[in-house]
């Protein structure tokens, strides 16, 4: 950057001084509360002691990473994280697209609006309430067990059964958020050129064929973008919900990287180690995002950048 | 249009409509169950087996207990504080930032935009954030739930896109009349962007109302707890001790059951009542965000 550039910048700041003043608060916010923690990630390579602070603590190299990779938890929580996200990708992700397609096919405008209004509603209910309802309905003597008891099936301790965790997690996620995730696809569908449908009809395409050959290709760019974003969040999963749902009995399937970071770091004050685990997670997330974007670009699909 | 629908198509239409009705029922039923149970007679709820399609008996006892409970009322007041102060700060900072970043000519616009968008994809994470909040002496204060979440990049992008849609001529002529950027923002851009502001209030407000995780991480003092943390104790940890104030122990078991439901309703109703009014705005808001993203 040459001196000229700084002269131009100084002029720009003078002319737009009010705009730069408006910008100041959020720039400070992002530097402190987003780039501050990134700077703080250096403790992953140190032995952080609160008394010595970020800078004063002594370097530890890759000690914490080695400890994590060597621990018995590593494969379990990595596997749980990937599996839970994979199930969400297989079941939750298409659900929003399918709902949007079916809503779009409804003939009655009023019915469609009513279904939409209802389907968005659970999205606004707090996770604490959602998980509270899960505990209530899925309890040993809860509603679901009462219903299956009438079919002669033994009660199932759903919330204390490791093999049920993923089903309950993904199922309740679909229940809560499928309507919300359909909004974006409905918007994409409404932008599909109507003359394409007419042409398809002329060629004798029925409704299903119109969905398959006109609607779906029409919303593919949106689907691609949402898929890239989904993959970018692959490693985060809904750890807040898991913390509400899990207990040591089901750690075997429920414990993921982020919940492990929370327990080690916040509950056990093992700061450097858990920061290292967190950094590992964030790095994998970022790589996945870049990878997904590159693949989309190669395939000639829409890309994020 | 006069196009005969084939038999197959008509079957598809009927099946689709029926399927969507079933889907709506499944979506809303758990919430309806909670509403019915909250008004029911506790002893009958305990004996009841199977689904509920209306309240069993009718009593407001559970609600009375909830509204008389100092723990819940205190937490309710705390949550109101977090929602109101938090959302005001959110809207102010987001609007200022969105206005600045929606300007056409601003040399630092793109680098700053990159700085912000990058944080959507890479984060320092929970532990460094916790230590930062600790170092700033915000730990165990009300501000720890307000300042670290002051701006959401996603919402900033939505608002910026909306601001970019305000006709440029309006701003230009105001500037010629001697208006500076502050009055362009507050007199022209904001009044023309009320729908998106409504969406932002909903998004930010709901996220404050529903937030519980940061509170468990940052707060120790019970007097500062938001409603969701008390709810968590009642619903998930099954700890109704905060509820037992002033109930004889025999009744406590029974009414404890319906108090759970009443607390859910009290803590959820404000949002669900508000939301149908804002619905047409937020659909638009999500779409604006989608177009740009």
């Amino acid at each position: 950057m040459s001196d000229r550039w700084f002269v131009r910048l100084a002029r720009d700041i003078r002319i737009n001084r009010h705009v730069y003043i408006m910008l100041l608060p959020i720039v400070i916010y992002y530097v402190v509360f987003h780039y501050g923690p990134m700077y703080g990630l250096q403790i992953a390579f140190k032995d952080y002691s609160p008394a010595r602070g970020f800078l004063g603590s002594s370097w530890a190299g890759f000690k914490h990473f080695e400890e994590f990779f060597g621990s018995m938890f590593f494969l379990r929580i990595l596997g749980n994280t990937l599996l839970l996200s994979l199930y969400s990708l297989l079941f939750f992700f298409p659900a929003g697209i399918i709902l949007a397609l079916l809503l779009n096919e409804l003939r009655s405008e009023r019915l469609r609006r009513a279904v939409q209004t209802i389907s968005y509603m659970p999205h606004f209910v707090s996770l604490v309430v959602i998980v509270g309802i899960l505990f209530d309905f899925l309890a040993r003597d809860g509603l679901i067990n009462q219903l299956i008891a009438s079919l002669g099936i033994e009660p199932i301790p759903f919330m204390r059964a490791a093999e049920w965790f993923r089903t309950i997690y993904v199922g309740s996620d679909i229940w809560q958020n499928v309507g919300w995730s359909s909004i974006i696809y409905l918007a994409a569908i409404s932008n599909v050129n109507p003359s394409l449908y007419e042409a398809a009809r002329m060629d004798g395409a029925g409704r299903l064929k119109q969905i398959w050959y006109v609607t779906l290709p029409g919303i593919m760019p949106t689907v691609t973008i949402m898929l890239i974003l989904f993959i970018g969040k692959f490693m985060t999963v809904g750890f807040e919900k898991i913390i509400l749902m899990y207990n040591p009995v089901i750690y075997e399937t429920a414990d993921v990287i982020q919940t492990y970071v929370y327990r080690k770091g916040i509950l056990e004050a093992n700061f450097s180690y858990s920061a290292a685990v967190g950094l590992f997670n964030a790095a994998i997330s970022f790589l996945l995002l870049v990878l997904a974007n590159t693949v989309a670009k190669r395939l000639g699909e829409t890309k994020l950048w | 249009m006069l196009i005969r629908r084939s038999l197959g198509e008509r079957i598809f239409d009927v099946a689709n409509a029926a399927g969507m009705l079933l889907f709506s029922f499944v979506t809303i039923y758990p919430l309806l169950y909670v509403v019915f149970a909250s008004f029911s007679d506790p002893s009958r709820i305990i004996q009841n087996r199977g689904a509920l399609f209306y309240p069993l008996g009718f009593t407001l006892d559970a609600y009375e207990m909830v509204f008389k409970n100092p723990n819940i009322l205190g937490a309710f007041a705390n949550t109101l504080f977090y929602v109101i102060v938090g959302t005001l700060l959110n809207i102010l900072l987001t609007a200022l930032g969105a206005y600045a970043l929606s300007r056409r000519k601003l040399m630092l616009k793109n680098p700053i935009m990159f700085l912000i968008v990058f944080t959507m994809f890479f984060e320092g994470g929970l532990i460094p954030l916790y230590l930062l909040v600790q170092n700033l002496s915000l730990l165990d204060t009300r501000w720890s739930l307000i300042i670290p979440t002051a701006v959401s990049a996603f919402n900033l992008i939505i608002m910026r896109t909306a601001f970019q849609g305000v006709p440029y001529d309006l701003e230009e002529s105001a500037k010629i009349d001697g208006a500076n950027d502050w009055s362009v923002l507050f007199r022209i851009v904001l009044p023309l962007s009320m729908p998106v502001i409504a969406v932002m209030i909903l998004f930010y407000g709901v996220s404050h109302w529903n937030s519980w995780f940061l509170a468990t991480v940052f707060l120790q003092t019970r007097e500062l707890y938001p409603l969701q943390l008390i709810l968590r104790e009642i619903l998930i940890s099954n700890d109704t001790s905060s509820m037992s104030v002033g109930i004889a122990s025999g009744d406590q078991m029974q009414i404890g059951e319906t108090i759970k439901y009443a607390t859910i309703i009290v803590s959820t109703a404000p949002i669900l009542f508000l939301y149908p009014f804002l619905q047409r705005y937020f659909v638009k808001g999500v779409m604006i965000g989608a177009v740009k993203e």
Side-chain angles (χ1 to χ4, degrees):
Chain A
M1 285 176 216
S2 60
D3 287 348
R4 256 232 206 107
W5 188 84
F6 282 106
V7 172
R8 266 175 54 218
L9 181 62
R11 212 176 83 92
D12 190 49
I13 291 179
R14 201 173 55 244
I15 295 170
N16 292 309
R17 59 189 178 281
H18 294 301
V19 180
Y20 278 102
I21 291 172
M22 291 176 183
L23 211 45
L24 206 56
I26 66 162
V27 169
I28 293 174
Y29 166 75
Y30 272 94
V31 168
V32 173
F33 286 99
H34 291 267
Y35 288 87
M38 284 186 216
Y39 172 76
L41 270 176
Q42 60 178 280
I43 65 165
F45 304 96
K46 288 184 165 181
D47 281 319
Y48 179 78
S49 94
R52 293 203 190 156
F54 287 115
L55 287 177
S57 299
S58 53
W59 291 98
F62 286 92
K63 187 178 90 179
H64 303 295
F65 292 92
E66 281 163 16
E67 190 189 335
F68 175 53
F69 297 144
S71 85
M72 56 172 282
F73 294 106
F74 172 61
L75 282 181
R76 188 174 85 176
I77 60 179
L78 181 64
N80 282 343
T81 307
L82 292 174
L83 266 181
L84 202 57
S85 277
L86 185 67
Y87 285 136
S88 296
L89 180 65
L90 289 179
F91 297 103
F92 177 79
F93 187 76
I97 302 172
I98 294 170
L99 178 63
L101 292 175
L102 293 178
L103 278 171
N104 185 54
E105 293 300 321
L106 280 180
R107 298 229 152 221
S108 152
E109 179 77 5
R110 273 174 63 194
L111 179 61
R112 206 186 71 196
R113 279 180 189 283
V115 176
Q116 278 178 276
T117 304
I118 289 173
S119 73
Y120 303 155
M121 216 180 260
H123 174 80
F124 293 97
V125 176
S126 82
L127 273 178
V128 174
V129 166
I130 298 284
V131 177
I133 292 178
L134 283 180
F135 269 101
D136 189 68
F137 280 27
L138 296 171
R140 211 162 230 296
D141 56 351
L143 180 61
I144 302 296
N145 271 319
Q146 289 167 20
L147 292 177
I148 64 174
S150 62
L151 300 172
I153 301 171
E154 285 291 298
I156 301 167
F158 290 104
M159 300 302 275
R160 299 185 69 79
E163 69 271 22
W164 275 97
F165 170 75
R166 293 187 185 117
T167 310
I168 296 171
Y169 175 89
V170 177
S172 58
D173 198 24
I174 294 177
W175 172 71
Q176 189 187 3
N177 292 315
V178 65
W180 187 253
S181 73
S182 73
I183 294 182
I184 206 144
Y185 301 115
L186 279 170
I189 290 173
S190 69
N191 283 331
V192 176
N193 187 347
S195 63
L196 291 177
Y197 290 104
E198 255 163 62
R201 236 177 279 137
M202 295 293 184
D203 292 343
R207 297 276 283 286
L208 288 176
K209 284 207 164 150
Q210 288 176 34
I211 294 177
W212 189 255
Y213 290 107
V214 180
T215 317
L216 263 183
I219 64 172
M220 252 353 242
T222 309
V223 173
T224 311
I225 294 279
M226 296 314 285
L227 189 63
I228 297 173
L229 288 173
F230 189 95
I231 289 172
K233 283 186 292 185
F234 214 70
M235 304 299 285
T236 9
V237 283
F239 76 100
E240 293 192 14
K241 185 171 162 190
I242 300 174
I243 290 175
L244 290 169
M245 282 175 72
Y246 77 174
N247 59 67
V249 186
I250 60 168
Y251 278 178
E252 186 194 329
T253 54
D255 199 16
V256 297
I257 297 179
Q258 300 262 62
T259 52
Y260 182 69
V261 169
Y262 168 70
R263 280 205 314 282
K264 284 286 160 188
I266 304 298
L267 301 183
E268 295 174 24
N270 214 334
F271 296 125
S272 278
Y273 177 70
S274 51
V277 179
L279 175 56
F280 166 77
N281 197 42
I284 300 283
S285 283
F286 193 67
L287 278 180
L288 280 176
L289 183 76
V290 174
L291 197 72
N293 194 53
T294 313
V295 171
K297 225 189 266 183
R298 282 275 161 77
L299 295 177
E301 292 284 353
T302 329
K303 60 207 183 291
L304 209 53
W305 65 81
Chain B
M1 222 184 296
L2 256 175
I3 292 175
R4 269 277 166 78
R5 286 191 285 150
S6 69
L7 181 66
E9 285 198 16
R10 261 182 274 166
I11 293 175
F12 173 83
D13 281 333
V14 171
N16 189 23
M20 287 294 106
L21 281 175
L22 183 70
F23 163 74
S24 308
F25 176 76
V26 171
T27 304
I28 197 120
Y29 182 73
L31 303 175
L32 283 181
Y33 179 96
V34 173
V35 173
F36 297 149
S38 71
F39 290 113
S40 295
D41 189 340
S43 57
R44 286 177 66 185
I45 277 289
I46 287 172
Q47 283 163 12
N48 177 58
R49 286 278 163 270
L52 210 59
F53 293 100
Y54 46 84
L56 299 173
F58 183 85
T59 163
L60 292 174
D61 287 357
Y63 286 93
E64 218 182 302
M65 300 301 308
V66 170
F67 283 113
K68 270 199 222 149
N69 185 295
N71 283 312
I72 291 184
L73 290 183
F76 207 104
N78 287 338
T79 289
L80 280 182
F81 176 83
Y82 298 133
V83 170
I84 293 170
V85 178
T87 307
L88 278 176
L89 183 73
N90 290 146
I91 299 289
L92 180 70
L93 290 195
T94 310
L96 291 178
Y99 176 82
L101 293 169
S102 68
R103 298 304 84 199
R104 295 187 167 190
K105 289 177 229 149
L106 200 68
M107 269 181 77
L108 292 184
K109 183 174 77 175
N110 289 336
I112 289 174
M113 207 56 210
F114 177 82
L115 205 77
I116 292 170
V117 172
F118 184 72
T119 65
M120 294 171 86
F121 305 122
F122 189 84
E123 283 273 21
L126 179 64
I127 307 303
L129 178 66
Y130 174 83
L131 296 174
L132 175 74
V133 169
Q134 190 178 44
N135 285 338
L136 294 173
S137 307
L138 291 175
L139 218 54
D140 207 23
T141 69
R142 289 183 191 278
W143 300 109
S144 67
L145 299 191
I146 290 175
I147 297 176
T149 53
V151 179
S152 135
F154 181 76
N155 289 347
L156 179 73
I157 291 173
I158 293 181
M159 215 193 267
R160 171 177 172 243
T161 310
F163 286 179
Q164 280 169 342
V166 173
Y168 190 60
D169 306 350
L170 285 178
E171 297 166 24
E172 231 9 36
S173 54
K175 284 247 174 92
I176 290 168
D177 291 344
N180 64 19
D181 285 295
W182 296 94
S183 39
V184 171
L185 171 60
F186 287 103
R187 300 241 175 92
I188 296 171
V189 175
L190 274 186
L192 286 173
S193 307
M194 280 337 260
V196 84
I197 302 294
V199 178
M200 293 294 103
I201 292 175
L202 180 76
F203 284 3
Y204 278 124
V206 168
S207 80
H208 282 293
W209 184 275
N210 287 341
S211 150
W212 69 278
F213 180 68
L214 286 185
T216 56
V217 173
F218 292 148
L219 298 183
Q220 254 127 51
T221 312
R222 271 188 77 87
E223 283 67 40
L224 300 178
Y225 276 12
L227 188 56
Q228 298 294 335
L229 281 197
I230 303 292
L231 259 181
R232 184 193 187 193
E233 288 175 2
I234 297 171
L235 297 179
I236 296 171
S237 318
N238 251 325
D239 173 9
T240 38
S241 57
S242 61
M243 295 301 309
S244 56
V245 186
I247 321 177
S249 59
D251 303 335
Q252 189 186 324
M253 275 294 292
Q254 290 205 338
I255 202 162
E257 195 58 26
T258 50
I259 281 182
K260 255 190 346 198
Y261 300 118
T263 328
I264 291 181
I265 297 301
V266 169
S267 67
T268 309
I271 288 176
L272 291 189
F273 277 131
L274 214 63
Y275 130 94
F277 300 105
L278 293 167
Q279 190 188 343
R280 64 194 177 100
Y281 293 126
F282 71 63
V283 172
K284 210 179 281 170
V286 172
M287 288 183 200
I288 296 173
V291 173
K292 198 60 200 171
E293 262 288 294

